[in-house]
Coordinates of all heavy atoms in Angstrom, one line a residue:
M1109 N -1.5 26.8 -9.1 CA -1.5 25.4 -9.4 C -2.0 24.6 -8.3 O -1.6 24.8 -7.1 CB -0.1 25.0 -9.9 CG -0.1 23.6 -10.5 SD 1.5 23.3 -11.3 CE 2.6 23.1 -10.0
R1110 N -2.9 23.6 -8.5 CA -3.4 22.8 -7.5 C -2.5 21.6 -7.2 O -2.0 20.9 -8.1 CB -4.8 22.3 -8.0 CG -5.7 21.7 -6.9 CD -7.1 21.7 -7.3 NE -7.8 20.8 -6.4 CZ -8.2 19.6 -6.7 NH1 -8.0 19.1 -7.9 NH2 -8.8 18.8 -5.9
A1111 N -2.3 21.4 -5.9 CA -1.4 20.3 -5.5 C -2.1 18.9 -5.7 O -3.3 18.8 -5.5 CB -1.0 20.4 -4.1
V1112 N -1.3 18.0 -6.2 CA -1.8 16.6 -6.3 C -1.9 16.0 -5.0 O -1.0 16.0 -4.2 CB -0.9 15.8 -7.2 CG1 -1.4 14.3 -7.3 CG2 -0.8 16.4 -8.6
P1113 N -3.1 15.5 -4.6 CA -3.2 14.9 -3.2 C -2.4 13.6 -3.1 O -2.3 12.8 -4.1 CB -4.7 14.5 -3.1 CG -5.2 14.5 -4.5 CD -4.4 15.4 -5.3
L1114 N -1.8 13.5 -2.0 CA -1.0 12.3 -1.7 C -1.9 11.1 -1.4 O -3.0 11.3 -0.8 CB 0.0 12.5 -0.6 CG 1.1 13.5 -0.9 CD1 2.0 13.7 0.3 CD2 1.9 13.1 -2.1
W1115 N -1.5 9.9 -1.6 CA -2.2 8.7 -1.2 C -1.6 8.2 0.1 O -0.4 8.4 0.3 CB -2.1 7.6 -2.3 CG -2.8 7.9 -3.5 CD1 -3.6 9.0 -3.8 CD2 -2.8 7.1 -4.7 NE1 -4.1 8.9 -5.1 CE2 -3.7 7.7 -5.6 CE3 -2.2 5.9 -5.1 CZ2 -3.9 7.2 -6.9 CZ3 -2.4 5.4 -6.3 CH2 -3.3 6.0 -7.2
R1116 N -2.4 7.7 0.9 CA -2.0 7.1 2.2 C -1.9 5.6 2.0 O -2.9 5.0 1.6 CB -2.9 7.5 3.3 CG -2.4 7.0 4.7 CD -3.2 7.7 5.8 NE -2.7 7.3 7.1 CZ -3.4 6.5 7.9 NH1 -4.6 6.1 7.7 NH2 -2.8 6.1 9.1
V1117 N -0.8 5.0 2.4 CA -0.6 3.6 2.3 C -0.5 3.0 3.7 O 0.3 3.4 4.5 CB 0.6 3.2 1.5 CG1 0.7 1.7 1.3 CG2 0.6 4.0 0.2
V1118 N -1.3 2.0 4.0 CA -1.3 1.3 5.3 C -1.2 -0.2 5.1 O -1.9 -0.7 4.2 CB -2.6 1.7 6.1 CG1 -2.6 0.8 7.4 CG2 -2.6 3.1 6.4
V1119 N -0.3 -0.8 5.8 CA -0.3 -2.3 5.8 C -0.7 -2.7 7.2 O -0.2 -2.3 8.2 CB 1.2 -2.8 5.5 CG1 1.2 -4.3 5.8 CG2 1.6 -2.4 4.1
D1120 N -1.7 -3.6 7.2 CA -2.2 -4.2 8.4 C -1.3 -5.3 8.8 O -1.3 -6.4 8.1 CB -3.6 -4.7 8.2 CG -4.2 -5.3 9.5 OD1 -3.4 -5.7 10.4 OD2 -5.4 -5.4 9.7
R1121 N -0.4 -5.1 9.7 CA 0.7 -6.1 10.0 C 0.2 -7.3 10.7 O 0.8 -8.3 10.7 CB 1.8 -5.4 10.7 CG 2.7 -4.5 9.8 CD 3.7 -3.7 10.5 NE 4.7 -4.5 11.3 CZ 5.8 -4.9 10.7 NH1 6.1 -4.6 9.5 NH2 6.7 -5.6 11.5
D1122 N -1.0 -7.2 11.2 CA -1.7 -8.4 11.8 C -2.2 -9.3 10.7 O -2.2 -10.6 10.9 CB -2.8 -8.0 12.7 CG -2.3 -7.4 14.0 OD1 -1.2 -7.7 14.4 OD2 -3.0 -6.5 14.5
R1123 N -2.6 -8.8 9.6 CA -3.1 -9.6 8.5 C -1.9 -10.0 7.6 O -2.0 -11.1 7.0 CB -4.0 -8.7 7.6 CG -5.3 -8.4 8.3 CD -6.3 -7.7 7.3 NE -6.8 -8.6 6.4 CZ -8.1 -8.9 6.2 NH1 -9.0 -8.2 6.9 NH2 -8.5 -9.7 5.3
C1124 N -0.9 -9.2 7.4 CA 0.2 -9.6 6.5 C 0.8 -10.9 6.9 O 1.0 -11.2 8.1 CB 1.3 -8.5 6.6 SG 2.8 -8.9 5.7
M1125 N 1.0 -11.7 5.9 CA 1.6 -13.0 6.1 C 3.0 -13.1 5.5 O 3.6 -14.2 5.4 CB 0.7 -14.2 5.6 CG 0.3 -14.0 4.2 SD -1.0 -15.2 3.8 CE -1.0 -15.1 2.1
G1126 N 3.6 -12.0 5.1 CA 5.0 -11.9 4.7 C 5.2 -12.6 3.4 O 6.4 -13.0 3.2
S1127 N 4.2 -12.6 2.5 CA 4.4 -13.3 1.2 C 5.5 -12.5 0.4 O 6.1 -13.1 -0.5 CB 3.1 -13.3 0.5 OG 2.7 -12.0 0.1
G1128 N 5.6 -11.3 0.6 CA 6.6 -10.5 -0.2 C 6.1 -10.0 -1.6 O 6.8 -9.4 -2.3
V1129 N 4.8 -10.3 -1.9 CA 4.3 -9.9 -3.2 C 4.4 -8.4 -3.4 O 4.8 -7.9 -4.4 CB 2.8 -10.4 -3.3 CG1 2.2 -9.8 -4.6 CG2 2.8 -11.9 -3.3
C1130 N 4.0 -7.7 -2.4 CA 4.0 -6.2 -2.5 C 5.4 -5.7 -2.7 O 5.7 -4.8 -3.5 CB 3.4 -5.5 -1.3 SG 4.2 -5.9 0.3
V1131 N 6.4 -6.3 -2.0 CA 7.8 -5.9 -2.2 C 8.3 -6.2 -3.6 O 9.0 -5.4 -4.2 CB 8.7 -6.5 -1.1 CG1 10.1 -6.2 -1.2 CG2 8.2 -6.1 0.3
A1132 N 7.9 -7.4 -4.1 CA 8.3 -7.8 -5.4 C 7.8 -6.8 -6.5 O 8.4 -6.5 -7.4 CB 7.9 -9.2 -5.7
L1133 N 6.5 -6.4 -6.2 CA 5.9 -5.5 -7.2 C 6.4 -4.1 -7.1 O 6.5 -3.4 -8.1 CB 4.4 -5.5 -7.0 CG 3.6 -6.6 -7.6 CD1 2.1 -6.6 -7.1 CD2 3.6 -6.5 -9.1
A1134 N 6.7 -3.6 -5.9 CA 7.0 -2.2 -5.6 C 8.0 -2.1 -4.5 O 7.7 -1.7 -3.4 CB 5.7 -1.5 -5.3
A1135 N 9.3 -2.5 -4.8 CA 10.3 -2.4 -3.8 C 10.6 -1.0 -3.3 O 11.1 -0.8 -2.2 CB 11.6 -3.1 -4.3
S1136 N 10.2 0.0 -4.1 CA 10.5 1.4 -3.7 C 9.4 1.9 -2.7 O 9.5 2.9 -2.1 CB 10.5 2.3 -5.0 OG 9.2 2.3 -5.6
L1137 N 8.3 1.1 -2.6 CA 7.2 1.5 -1.8 C 7.0 0.6 -0.5 O 6.4 1.1 0.5 CB 5.9 1.4 -2.6 CG 5.9 2.4 -3.8 CD1 4.6 2.1 -4.7 CD2 5.8 3.8 -3.4
F1138 N 7.5 -0.6 -0.6 CA 7.3 -1.5 0.5 C 8.6 -2.2 0.9 O 9.5 -2.4 0.0 CB 6.3 -2.6 0.2 CG 4.9 -2.1 -0.1 CD1 4.5 -1.8 -1.4 CD2 4.0 -1.9 0.9 CE1 3.3 -1.3 -1.8 CE2 2.7 -1.4 0.6 CZ 2.4 -1.1 -0.7
V1139 N 8.7 -2.6 2.2 CA 9.9 -3.3 2.6 C 9.5 -4.3 3.6 O 8.5 -4.1 4.4 CB 10.9 -2.3 3.2 CG1 10.4 -1.6 4.4 CG2 12.2 -3.0 3.5
L1140 N 10.1 -5.5 3.6 CA 9.8 -6.5 4.6 C 10.6 -6.2 5.9 O 11.8 -5.9 5.8 CB 10.2 -7.9 4.1 CG 9.2 -8.5 3.2 CD1 9.7 -9.9 2.8 CD2 7.8 -8.6 3.7
D1141 N 10.0 -6.2 7.0 CA 10.6 -5.8 8.3 C 10.1 -6.8 9.3 O 8.8 -6.9 9.5 CB 10.1 -4.4 8.6 CG 10.5 -3.9 10.0 OD1 11.3 -4.6 10.6 OD2 9.9 -2.9 10.4
D1142 N 11.0 -7.7 9.8 CA 10.6 -8.7 10.8 C 9.5 -9.6 10.2 O 8.5 -9.9 10.8 CB 10.1 -8.0 12.1 CG 10.1 -9.0 13.2 OD1 10.7 -10.1 13.1 OD2 9.3 -8.8 14.2
E1143 N 9.7 -10.0 8.9 CA 8.8 -10.9 8.1 C 7.4 -10.4 7.9 O 6.5 -11.1 7.6 CB 8.8 -12.3 8.8 CG 10.2 -12.9 8.9 CD 10.2 -14.3 9.5 OE1 9.1 -14.8 9.7 OE2 11.3 -14.8 9.7
R1144 N 7.3 -9.1 8.0 CA 6.0 -8.4 7.7 C 6.3 -7.2 6.8 O 7.4 -6.6 7.0 CB 5.2 -8.0 8.9 CG 4.8 -9.2 9.8 CD 3.7 -9.9 9.2 NE 3.2 -11.0 10.1 CZ 3.6 -12.3 10.1 NH1 4.6 -12.6 9.3 NH2 3.1 -13.2 10.9
S1145 N 5.4 -6.9 6.0 CA 5.6 -5.7 5.1 C 5.3 -4.4 5.9 O 4.4 -4.4 6.8 CB 4.7 -5.8 3.9 OG 4.8 -4.6 3.1
R1146 N 5.9 -3.4 5.5 CA 5.5 -2.0 5.9 C 5.8 -1.1 4.7 O 6.7 -1.3 3.9 CB 6.2 -1.6 7.2 CG 7.6 -1.4 7.1 CD 8.2 -0.7 8.4 NE 9.6 -0.8 8.4 CZ 10.4 0.0 7.8 NH1 9.9 1.0 7.0 NH2 11.7 -0.1 7.8
P1147 N 5.0 0.0 4.6 CA 5.3 1.0 3.6 C 6.5 1.7 3.9 O 6.8 2.0 5.1 CB 4.0 1.9 3.6 CG 3.2 1.5 4.7 CD 3.8 0.3 5.4
R1148 N 7.3 2.1 2.9 CA 8.5 2.9 3.2 C 8.1 4.3 3.6 O 8.9 5.0 4.3 CB 9.4 2.9 1.9 CG 10.0 1.6 1.6 CD 11.0 1.7 0.4 NE 11.6 0.4 0.1 CZ 12.7 -0.1 0.6 NH1 13.4 0.7 1.5 NH2 13.2 -1.2 0.2
A1149 N 7.0 4.7 3.1 CA 6.4 6.0 3.4 C 4.9 5.9 3.6 O 4.3 5.2 2.8 CB 6.8 7.1 2.4
E1150 N 4.4 6.6 4.5 CA 2.9 6.6 4.7 C 2.2 7.3 3.6 O 1.1 6.9 3.2 CB 2.6 7.2 6.1 CG 1.1 7.1 6.4 CD 0.7 7.7 7.8 OE1 1.6 8.1 8.5 OE2 -0.5 7.7 8.1
H1151 N 2.8 8.4 3.2 CA 2.1 9.1 2.1 C 3.0 9.1 0.8 O 4.2 9.3 0.9 CB 1.9 10.6 2.6 CG 0.9 10.7 3.7 ND1 1.3 10.7 5.0 CD2 -0.5 10.6 3.7 CE1 0.2 10.8 5.8 NE2 -0.9 10.7 5.0
V1152 N 2.3 8.8 -0.3 CA 3.1 8.7 -1.5 C 2.4 9.4 -2.6 O 1.1 9.7 -2.6 CB 3.2 7.2 -2.0 CG1 4.0 6.4 -0.9 CG2 1.9 6.5 -2.3
A1153 N 3.1 9.8 -3.6 CA 2.5 10.4 -4.8 C 1.7 9.3 -5.5 O 2.0 8.2 -5.4 CB 3.6 10.9 -5.7
P1154 N 0.5 9.7 -6.1 CA -0.3 8.7 -6.8 C 0.5 7.9 -7.7 O 1.3 8.4 -8.5 CB -1.3 9.6 -7.5 CG -1.4 10.8 -6.6 CD 0.0 11.1 -6.1
D1155 N 0.4 6.6 -7.6 CA 1.2 5.7 -8.4 C 0.4 4.4 -8.5 O 0.1 3.7 -7.6 CB 2.5 5.4 -7.6 CG 3.5 4.5 -8.3 OD1 3.0 3.8 -9.3 OD2 4.6 4.4 -7.9
E1156 N 0.1 4.0 -9.8 CA -0.7 2.8 -10.1 C -0.1 1.6 -9.4 O -0.8 0.7 -9.1 CB -0.8 2.7 -11.6 CG -1.8 1.7 -12.1 CD -3.2 2.2 -12.1 OE1 -3.4 3.4 -11.8 OE2 -4.1 1.5 -12.3
T1157 N 1.2 1.6 -9.3 CA 1.9 0.4 -8.7 C 1.4 0.1 -7.3 O 1.3 -1.1 -7.0 CB 3.4 0.6 -8.8 OG1 3.8 1.1 -10.0 CG2 4.2 -0.7 -8.4
V1158 N 1.2 1.1 -6.6 CA 0.7 0.8 -5.2 C -0.7 0.2 -5.2 O -1.0 -0.6 -4.3 CB 0.8 2.1 -4.3 CG1 -0.3 3.1 -4.6 CG2 0.8 1.7 -2.8
L1159 N -1.5 0.6 -6.1 CA -2.8 0.0 -6.3 C -2.7 -1.5 -6.7 O -3.4 -2.4 -6.2 CB -3.7 0.7 -7.2 CG -4.1 2.2 -6.8 CD1 -4.9 2.8 -7.9 CD2 -4.8 2.2 -5.5
D1160 N -1.7 -1.7 -7.6 CA -1.5 -3.1 -8.1 C -1.0 -4.0 -6.9 O -1.5 -5.1 -6.7 CB -0.4 -3.1 -9.1 CG -0.8 -2.5 -10.4 OD1 -2.0 -2.3 -10.7 OD2 0.1 -2.2 -11.2
A1161 N -0.2 -3.4 -6.0 CA 0.3 -4.1 -4.8 C -0.9 -4.4 -3.9 O -1.0 -5.6 -3.4 CB 1.4 -3.4 -4.1
A1162 N -1.8 -3.5 -3.7 CA -2.9 -3.7 -2.9 C -3.8 -4.8 -3.5 O -4.3 -5.6 -2.7 CB -3.7 -2.4 -2.7
D1163 N -4.0 -4.7 -4.8 CA -4.8 -5.7 -5.4 C -4.3 -7.1 -5.3 O -5.0 -8.1 -5.2 CB -5.0 -5.4 -6.9 CG -5.8 -4.1 -7.2 OD1 -6.4 -3.6 -6.3 OD2 -5.7 -3.7 -8.4
C1164 N -3.0 -7.2 -5.4 CA -2.3 -8.5 -5.4 C -2.0 -9.1 -4.1 O -1.6 -10.3 -4.0 CB -1.0 -8.4 -6.2 SG -1.3 -8.1 -8.0
C1165 N -2.2 -8.4 -3.0 CA -1.9 -8.9 -1.7 C -2.8 -10.0 -1.3 O -4.0 -9.8 -1.3 CB -2.0 -7.8 -0.6 SG -1.8 -8.4 1.1
P1166 N -2.3 -11.2 -1.1 CA -3.1 -12.4 -0.8 C -3.9 -12.3 0.5 O -4.9 -13.0 0.7 CB -2.2 -13.6 -0.9 CG -0.8 -13.0 -0.6 CD -0.9 -11.6 -1.1
A1167 N -3.4 -11.4 1.4 CA -4.0 -11.3 2.7 C -4.9 -10.0 2.8 O -5.5 -9.8 3.8 CB -2.9 -11.2 3.8
R1168 N -5.0 -9.3 1.7 CA -5.8 -8.1 1.7 C -5.4 -7.1 2.8 O -6.2 -6.5 3.5 CB -7.3 -8.3 1.8 CG -7.8 -9.3 0.8 CD -8.2 -8.7 -0.5 NE -9.3 -7.8 -0.5 CZ -9.8 -7.2 -1.6 NH1 -9.2 -7.3 -2.7 NH2 -10.9 -6.4 -1.5
A1169 N -4.1 -7.1 3.0 CA -3.5 -6.3 4.1 C -3.1 -4.9 3.7 O -2.8 -4.1 4.6 CB -2.3 -7.1 4.6
V1170 N -3.1 -4.6 2.4 CA -2.7 -3.3 2.0 C -3.9 -2.4 1.7 O -4.8 -2.8 0.9 CB -1.8 -3.3 0.7 CG1 -1.4 -2.0 0.3 CG2 -0.6 -4.2 1.0
T1171 N -4.0 -1.3 2.3 CA -5.1 -0.3 2.0 C -4.5 1.0 1.5 O -3.5 1.5 2.1 CB -6.0 -0.1 3.3 OG1 -6.4 -1.3 3.7 CG2 -7.1 0.8 3.0
V1172 N -5.1 1.5 0.5 CA -4.7 2.8 -0.1 C -5.9 3.8 0.0 O -7.0 3.4 -0.4 CB -4.2 2.7 -1.5 CG1 -3.6 4.0 -2.0 CG2 -3.2 1.6 -1.7
T1173 N -5.6 5.0 0.5 CA -6.7 5.9 0.6 C -6.3 7.3 0.0 O -5.1 7.6 0.0 CB -7.2 6.2 2.1 OG1 -6.1 6.6 2.8 CG2 -7.8 5.0 2.7
E1174 N -7.3 8.0 -0.5 CA -7.0 9.3 -1.0 C -8.0 10.2 -0.4 O -9.3 10.0 -0.5 CB -7.2 9.3 -2.6 CG -7.0 10.7 -3.2 CD -7.2 10.7 -4.7 OE1 -8.3 10.4 -5.1 OE2 -6.2 11.0 -5.4
N1175 N -7.6 11.2 0.4 CA -8.5 12.1 1.1 C -9.5 11.3 2.0 O -10.7 11.6 2.1 CB -9.2 13.0 0.2 CG -8.3 14.0 -0.5 OD1 -7.3 14.4 0.1 ND2 -8.6 14.3 -1.7
G1176 N -9.0 10.2 2.6 CA -9.8 9.4 3.4 C -10.7 8.4 2.7 O -11.4 7.5 3.4
R1177 N -10.7 8.4 1.4 CA -11.6 7.5 0.6 C -10.7 6.3 0.2 O -9.6 6.5 -0.4 CB -12.1 8.2 -0.6 CG -13.1 7.3 -1.5 CD -13.7 8.2 -2.6 NE -12.6 8.7 -3.5 CZ -12.3 8.1 -4.6 NH1 -12.8 6.9 -5.0 NH2 -11.4 8.6 -5.4
V1178 N -11.2 5.1 0.5 CA -10.4 3.9 0.1 C -10.5 3.7 -1.4 O -11.5 3.7 -2.1 CB -11.0 2.6 0.7 CG1 -10.3 1.4 0.3 CG2 -10.9 2.7 2.3
I1179 N -9.3 3.7 -2.0 CA -9.2 3.5 -3.5 C -8.5 2.2 -3.8 O -8.4 1.8 -5.0 CB -8.5 4.7 -4.2 CG1 -7.1 4.9 -3.6 CG2 -9.3 5.9 -4.0 CD1 -6.3 6.0 -4.3
G1180 N -7.9 1.5 -2.9 CA -7.3 0.2 -3.1 C -7.3 -0.6 -1.8 O -7.2 0.0 -0.7
P1181 N -7.5 -1.9 -2.0 CA -7.5 -2.7 -3.2 C -8.8 -2.4 -4.0 O -9.8 -2.0 -3.4 CB -7.5 -4.1 -2.8 CG -7.9 -4.1 -1.4 CD -7.6 -2.8 -0.8
R1182 N -8.6 -2.5 -5.3 CA -9.8 -2.3 -6.2 C -10.5 -3.7 -6.3 O -9.9 -4.7 -6.5 CB -9.3 -1.9 -7.6 CG -8.6 -0.5 -7.6 CD -7.8 -0.3 -8.8 NE -6.6 -1.1 -8.9 CZ -5.6 -0.8 -9.7 NH1 -5.7 0.2 -10.5 NH2 -4.6 -1.6 -9.8
D1183 N -11.8 -3.6 -6.2 CA -12.6 -4.9 -6.2 C -13.0 -5.1 -7.7 O -13.1 -4.3 -8.5 CB -13.8 -4.9 -5.3 CG -13.3 -4.9 -3.8 OD1 -12.4 -5.7 -3.5 OD2 -13.8 -4.1 -3.0
Ligands
SF4_2312 S1 1.6 -8.8 -0.3 FE1 0.4 -8.6 1.5 S2 0.8 -10.4 2.7 FE2 2.4 -10.2 1.2 S3 4.0 -9.1 2.3 FE3 2.8 -7.6 1.2 S4 1.3 -6.9 2.7 FE4 2.2 -8.8 3.5

C-alpha cells in the first residue's frame, strides 16, 4: 500500500497580522502564539481545511506544499 504524502504547512510570521482567520477555520491545525499564528504541526495529513485557511488568510502568510510543490493558497 502506498503511503499518502503529508502536506507541509508554513506560516510566515513576519507576514501574519494575527487576524485569527486560520485559527477560526481550523483550530486543530493552527494556534495563535504571541499574536501570530503558527501551525500546530509542520506536516499534516491532506485536509481541504488547511487549503481553505491558506486561501482565506488576508496576509497570504500560509503556504501549503506537497512534495515541495506549492498547493495552497489556491489562486
Ligand atoms: S489568517 Fe493569516 S494573518 Fe490571520 S492569523 Fe492566520 S496566518 Fe495570520
Side-chain angles (χ1 to χ4, degrees):
M1109 191 166 69
R1110 196 162 162 254
V1112 175
L1114 294 177
W1115 290 356
R1116 182 168 184 249
V1117 184
V1118 173
V1119 172
D1120 182 337
R1121 287 172 61 90
D1122 291 330
R1123 293 185 74 122
C1124 174
M1125 54 192 193
S1127 69
V1129 173
C1130 58
V1131 178
L1133 277 170
S1136 63
L1137 299 170
F1138 298 92
V1139 62
L1140 284 180
D1141 172 13
D1142 198 20
E1143 300 184 7
R1144 297 286 184 268
S1145 172
R1146 65 173 169 78
R1148 291 183 183 271
E1150 183 179 359
H1151 294 96
V1152 300
D1155 180 344
E1156 192 79 6
T1157 310
V1158 76
L1159 295 178
D1160 292 341
D1163 291 348
C1164 294
C1165 173
R1168 306 278 288 182
V1170 179
T1171 303
V1172 185
T1173 58
E1174 180 182 60
N1175 294 328
R1177 182 175 64 93
V1178 176
I1179 57 172
R1182 297 165 288 196
D1183 291 315

